[in-house]
Amino acid sequence: MKNTALFATHEALGAKMVPFAGYNMPVQYEGVNIEHETVRHAVGVFDVSHMGEFLIEGENALDLIQKVSSNDASKLTVGKAQYSCMPNETGGIVDDLIIYKVKENTYLLVVNASNIEKDWNWITSNNDVGATMGNLSEDYSLLAIQGPKAVEAMQSLTSHDLSAIKFYNFIVGDFAGIEHVIISATGYTGSGGFEIYCKNSEVKLIWDEVFKTGADFGIKPIGLAARDTLRLEMGYCLYGNDIDDSTSPIEAGLGWITKFTKKFTNSEALKDEKRRGPENKLVAFELDERGVPRLGYDIVDGNGNKIGRVTSGTMSPSLSKGIGLGYVPVVFSEVGSKINIQIRKKAIPATVVKLPFYKG
């Protein structure tokens, strides 16, 4: 198991450490609900340094990115980021990722920790245009400073106006006395805030300054368990659960990042799937009765026939009810549709709802 540069810091804070994507990671400190509410109402900090970072450079960098990603990266200008996914050749998804345009002909790709090697090999195998590639994953750390008080709490640490950085925009500037830090408004919680990319040698200093400056705003360290409940309340997909090598972006509700204005891996087949409509769709549901849906639970119809499975589920800390995502046949996918979640021996009624669960 690998450790992030802040491993000793998490241990000193009493974090419960668990293996995740090949790293020892903090799953919680005080408790999931407390940490969840901290991010929803104040400001919290996640160490997500296990994520992968690739640098793609050169005159043909965009050509490579356009080939492997579903979204249209030609729309990016310097200082903007884009959510996208990398389709495989069999209708599924290699990974979802964020693409940053750092400067002309230079892009930063941020990928999921569990897929770093797979993604690197996939992009490399498609690099027939001579783009220069660099894997920075082992050298860089990533902090997610999330919550409605993040801007106010962190403003004194930088000369840049944090409130001016719009969603899915970023700057490269000074932060906590360190130059050339990426400050990005690309959080995964739905409560605002920033992600900070820096070198491993710089992250402890930044962490300490962030907590010193944020003390008056109730800042707390947040573990991966609360990150999961926060992203699920927004309906954001988690790779390995809601999307994987066998799920298409069309059935996963990611048609909005699948642009057929260009050719990319498997684009013709996906275009045809969008035209005719998928057989199954990823839906959001809320339980009508007490219960907690979990990954892998069966989704059944009114007669007890299995029609799908839960891909993500939890007891929502914000809504105090069971919520989840899962794939069902299209006929059950309309908002308001009634389905049932098989929890042990009981089929708990649930209703298909519109995302996000948490309206803020």
Side-chain angles (χ1 to χ4, degrees), residues 1 78 122 163 174 209 221 229-230 238 240 295:
M1 301 300 294
V78 174
W122 176 256
S163 66
D174 62 285
E209 288 299 310
T229 56
L230 288 157
L238 177 65
L295 170 66

Side-chain angles (χ1 to χ4, degrees), residues 20 228 231-232 236-244 246-247 282 294-296 309-313 325-327:
F20 183 82
D228 192 49
R231 71 89 194 168
L232 181 50
Y236 296 151
C237 289
L238 177 65
Y239 194 89
N241 285 41
D242 313 301
I243 52 176
D244 57 31
S246 66
T247 58
L282 184 67
R294 300 291 186 194
L295 170 66
R309 70 179 185 91
V310 176
T311 56
S312 287
L325 301 174
Y327 285 94

